[in-house]
Amino acid sequence: MSFRALILGAAAGGGLPQWNCGCDNCNKARAGQIPAQTQSSLAVTANGRDWAVLNASPDIRHQLAAATPLHPTGLRDMPLGAVLVTNGDIDHVAGLLTLREVQPFTLFATAGIHDVLAANPMLDALNPAVVDRETIALNTPFDLVPGLTAELFPVPGKVPLYMEGETVETDLMGDQTVGVELRADGKRVLYIPGCACLNDDLRARISGADLLFFDGTLWSDDEMQRCGLGQKTGKRMGHMSMSGDDGSLAAFAGIDVGRKIYVHMNNSNPVLDPASTERANAEATGWTIGQDQMEIAL
Ligand code: MLT
Ligand code: MN
Ligand code: ZN
């Protein structure tokens, strides 16, 4: 028994390249000058046979085709036992529509996230006779797949973009945005693909973890504006940036974590270019920039 994680998609919503984006990174990815990345998803296992997928991205069909350990082992057998979603964002749930081909698995989420999914009739395509929707209470361990225990915990965030009202609280603590703590074989792994800010509770939980996957959406809070891609700041989107006094590079400097990997990078993030000084800076402080098909074994 040993923990393995396979990054199915390292990019944030939109992916790299994003279909309608002509930013430097997207153009370079289209030209094959930097690696393309698909949208946010992580596969995990503790025994190499039973896998869970954390977040079902719109790219899941290609991601599963590229993920050899998750290929079918029989006519209609494949090693996917569970899908868990950490919020209701489209980049994390739209792939559920692709998983409608009568394949048994358990769909884990909090009550708040299940409510969002249940409000979408298109997702009734996931046949309840084979897809069991299980509601998970916060801070309560459960068996995700054999050998792998998980626990969901609140992370500062907001409701999905498509459910935003007139006023939006961007660092809401509740069951709309969660992180996942995984335990297997004495190891502790944290998966937090979206996080508005690091509070004391999170800092305490992350401290001493063997492996961390963390929100790498933006390099700087005003990146979208400076790239001419939109008006929203990272904070408005519910994501803390990597750089700056209140960024994740600074926030994690004093926290003891075995291995730190950024995931959920927006296509505007300069770290997606392997030759960028920003990537060199992040790596110099002990971070790895995640990428599609990167595998980590503990
Ligand atoms: C986010 O991570 O902020 C969302 O995925 C944005 C979106 O819904 O496109
Ligand atoms: Mn996202
Ligand atoms: Zn772009």
Side-chain angles (χ1 to χ4, degrees), residues 9 16 28 30 43 57 61 79 98 104 114 129 135 184 198-199 214 238 244:
L16 174 72
K28 283 184 185 167
R30 260 179 223 106
S57 103
R61 178 174 168 276
T98 298
H114 270 309
T135 299
L198 205 64
N199 58 30
F214 194 75

Side-chain angles (χ1 to χ4, degrees), residues 182-205:
L182 300 164
R183 286 183 224 114
D185 204 22
K187 305 281 197 223
R188 217 158 58 80
V189 178
L190 291 165
Y191 173 62
I192 307 174
C195 183
C197 57
L198 205 64
N199 58 30
D200 288 345
D201 283 355
L202 273 179
R203 206 171 277 120
R205 188 181 281 271

